[in-house]
Structures are given as C-alpha cells and as structure tokens.
Amino acid sequence: MPDLHPITRQLLEWYRVHARPLPWRESPHPYATWLSEVILQQTRVETGTAYWHRFLEQYPTVKDLAEAPIESVMRSWKGLGYYSRARNLHAAAKAVMDQRDGQLPILAADWRALPGIGDYTAAAIASICHGEAVPVVDGNVQRVLSRLFDIADPVDRKSGRDAIRAWSEALVSEATPGASNQAWMELGALVCKPRNPACPDCPVREACLARQRGTWADRPVKQPKKKQVTMTVDFDVAIRKVDSRWEWWVERRPDRGIWGGLESFPATLTEGAGRDRDPQSVWGPVDHILTHRRLTGWFHLHTGDAASDLARCHPGGSWIPLDDADRAWPRMVDKVLPELRSRAVKN
DNA sequence: AAGCCGGGGCA
DNA sequence: TGCCCAGGCTT
C-alpha cells in the first residue's frame, strides 16, 4: 500500500477544519450519497441541497424510488435540468430492485454499471460509503490538479485527462479515500476557485507550480467552446372550457432531445431566430438560454374547434386543469403560465 | 473525439 | 456575454 502522499496529508488537515457541514456528510449511507452525487452532477451545492432533502423525504428508500411513477420523479426533478439524470436515476432504482434483489452495489465497478452513474459518481459513492481507494475527477479536481502540477495539456483531451488521472491516483488516500476525494473537491470549491483563487489560504500553496510560475489564471486549459445555436420554439396552447373550468392540452416530450420526458404544450423547434410573430395572435417573445441553445419562445393560443383539432393532431397528450401547477414542465413553460392563464380567462 | 443535454449565478 | 457548476450518454 502506497504511503499517504505528503500533499494529501496537508490537504486532509485543512479539510478537517474547513469542510462545509453538508447534510449528506452527517451520516452517509449509500442511497443518500447516491442521490446527492446524481443531483450534484453539473449542479451547484447551493442549488442541489433543497432537492436532496425533498427526494429523501419523498423517496426514503431505493424501493420507494423504484415504485414511484416516473411522472412523480420527473416532477420532483423539475427545475434541476439535465432531465436524463432523473430518468436514469429511476431506471437504476428499478434495476436494483429487479436485478439485485434490492441490494445496492458495493464496488465502484458495480455502481458504474447502473444507468446515470459514470466514472466520477461510481468512485465518489464507493470511496465515501465503502472506503474503496478510487480517486474522483470532477471539475474541481481538474482545476486544482491542473494548477498544482501546471498541466498545460487541455483537460478535455486525452493527454490532459491522462495526466489528471495519474495525479489523482497518486494522491488518493488509501486509508481514507472518501475524505481525500471530498477534500480535493472542497479545495476547488472554497479556495482554488475558477476566478480569484484564495491562494494565501491554500494548504498546498507551497507545492503549487501554477502559483510559482504565475500560470494559475490559464489553468485548466480547455478547448474553446462552440457558439450557441439560435432556435425558435413555437408552442401551441389549446384551451377549452368544461363545466365552467378551463383545461388545456399537454403532451409528454420524447425521452431524447431537449426537455426529454417533461410535459409541455406541443412544441415545434426550428433553427434560426425565426420571423417575427404577430403579437396579436401569439404571446412572446420569451427568451431562454440553455447550455448550447439560445431559444426564443412564441405561444400560440387555440380555442374552440382549433383547440379540438390540435388535440387530435397530438395523440398521447391529455387535457389538464388550467390551475394545475404541480407538473413537470420546463422553465420556459413555467415562465409564461401566469400570462397564459390571464389570457385564457379573458377568452 | 465530439455533440448533446438545463438552469442559474457571477464577474 | 462567457464561464462554470461534486457529469453521463450517444454517435
């Protein structure tokens, strides 16, 4: 067994003092840790914490999660983004119940086989909950190690990834891998931040090559990202009145693609900014930014026969009450619900 | 290897 | 505006 690397020893002392009291650290168990790691994929701790509490409350065990309808899980995930995480989480819970007799994996390799669990998440759970000495590499670790060892290769190419991987394996604590993994991430989150890193507070500053060489602002090196594509989204909102109560037509979007698995008014996405719509007949524009798309939304209101026709053209959807709020739509739809409600009532 | 997938916060 | 966030899946 390799000795504890002196740099990691320094780091662990710092971590014992400065670790944030995050709720999933209080008494970690595999199910709760799994939930936290999936929720936190590409999601800030401040954003994910409330969702984690809600998920544990609504689905206390993997059995509860597996038996919950997917609509419920999607609704719980609403607003978090990257909705394939919710579908994969639910599928993995069912796989655990059906194929593993309800027993969660122990080894990272077995966690890795479940949907929605990649190298990072598998290593995080196995190291934190079972002491398996596998290193984690997330965005924090990429940044911290690329600075510490002044890695000039892009971290999103093989050469850079290999360098980060090699250092992470050399640095992981064999005795307390869960602590050292979380400590490296915590250092990135609290001290070695993307901008304005707090180098004077850093427990490993003496060893940091980027600090010595003045290259810290240029680490990590990443490939330039492509520009966002502009797209137009036309929503068809069909409304009708039944027994003095308003309803409208929603459909579930396919699992693949934007807002997969979420509910929405029937929507048509077209490339480009699109022609201006007539403000008399539609509500808009509503701008919305995704990671790789810049969307402009227009909402077309249909009533009477036009509403019936639209519903017929989109089988698989359903009429739902206008005041039904607790459903899993994307933020884009949420943004305009109040306006659409007031327009519907006037109609 | 590259593209796709949300939403929000911050300089 | 652009970048980043306890990434993973598909092609």
Side-chain angles (χ1 to χ4, degrees), chain A residues 263-279:
Chain A
E263 292 185 306
S264 168
F265 316 110
T268 306
L269 281 85
T270 49
E271 197 112 356
R275 304 190 313 281
D276 284 346
R277 268 61 178 171
D278 177 11

Side-chain angles (χ1 to χ4, degrees), chain A residues 34-336:
Chain A
W34 172 25
L35 279 182
S36 75
E37 294 299 344
V38 173
I39 287 173
L40 293 175
Q41 287 167 7
Q42 293 292 285
T43 304
R44 295 170 193 282
V45 167
E46 309 88 76
T47 305
T49 301
Y51 282 85
W52 180 80
H53 283 296
R54 227 172 298 141
F55 259 83
L56 268 186
E57 193 174 325
Q58 294 177 9
Y59 319 104
T61 68
V62 63
K63 182 170 183 289
D64 296 311
L65 180 58
E67 291 175 353
I70 182 63
E71 291 79 11
S72 171
V73 178
M74 297 307 293
R75 193 164 60 242
S76 303
W77 202 268
K78 176 184 176 182
L80 254 190
Y82 286 145
Y83 297 95
S84 64
R85 290 185 292 170
R87 298 194 306 274
N88 285 331
L89 179 66
H90 188 237
K94 289 206 279 193
V96 167
M97 295 308 297
D98 297 344
Q99 300 166 26
R100 303 183 51 93
D101 196 28
Q103 300 301 305
L104 295 176
I106 305 291
L107 298 174
D110 295 327
W111 279 104
R112 181 69 177 80
L114 291 173
I117 297 185
D119 289 337
Y120 163 78
T121 303
I125 301 171
S127 65
I128 292 171
C129 296
H130 302 292
E132 186 174 342
V134 282
V136 298
V137 178
D138 74 331
N140 288 307
V141 173
Q142 280 185 0
R143 183 173 59 256
V144 171
L145 297 188
S146 70
R147 285 173 175 167
L148 190 52
F149 302 105
D150 197 33
I151 296 168
D153 294 322
V155 295
D156 44 10
R157 275 203 231 275
K158 178 164 167 52
S159 56
R161 271 202 310 274
D162 288 348
I164 299 285
R165 168 63 55 181
W167 278 115
S168 71
E169 286 173 355
L171 290 170
V172 68
S173 163
E174 300 283 334
T176 59
S180 77
N181 278 339
Q182 293 184 84
W184 284 112
M185 293 191 282
E186 197 82 336
L187 187 66
L190 299 182
V191 176
C192 196
K193 295 174 288 186
R195 287 168 298 220
N196 305 322
C199 297
D201 301 330
C202 181
V204 297
R205 61 184 175 281
E206 298 299 332
C208 184
L209 288 182
R211 176 176 156 275
Q212 294 172 23
R213 298 173 182 171
T215 56
W216 57 268
D218 300 319
R219 302 288 181 267
V221 175
K222 290 191 178 181
Q223 297 186 90
K225 284 184 180 165
K226 288 198 167 182
K227 224 186 146 185
Q228 289 172 324
V229 176
T230 300
M231 299 195 77
T232 302
V233 192
D234 285 285
F235 294 94
D236 286 308
V237 185
I239 62 173
R240 72 176 187 188
K241 200 173 188 178
V242 178
D243 299 336
S244 78
R245 309 183 65 131
W246 284 99
E247 297 178 335
W248 53 26
W249 187 257
V250 286
E251 65 178 9
R252 186 174 192 271
R253 295 182 56 76
D255 284 346
R256 313 285 295 267
I258 291 178
W259 301 319
L262 267 64
E263 292 185 306
S264 168
F265 316 110
T268 306
L269 281 85
T270 49
E271 197 112 356
R275 304 190 313 281
D276 284 346
R277 268 61 178 171
D278 177 11
Q280 297 297 332
S281 61
V282 302
W283 170 252
V286 177
D287 293 325
H288 191 72
I289 308 282
L290 305 183
T291 302
H292 58 299
R293 297 270 190 278
R294 179 177 298 272
L295 305 177
T296 303
W298 300 94
F299 294 79
H300 304 252
L301 210 53
H302 305 276
T303 57
D305 290 342
S308 307
D309 291 344
L310 184 72
R312 260 195 303 279
C313 289
H314 294 271
S318 55
W319 292 101
I320 65 159
L322 170 62
D323 52 10
D324 206 342
D326 193 20
R327 303 181 72 109
W329 12 63
R331 282 286 295 134
M332 185 95 191
V333 170
D334 242 353
K335 274 183 182 175
V336 298

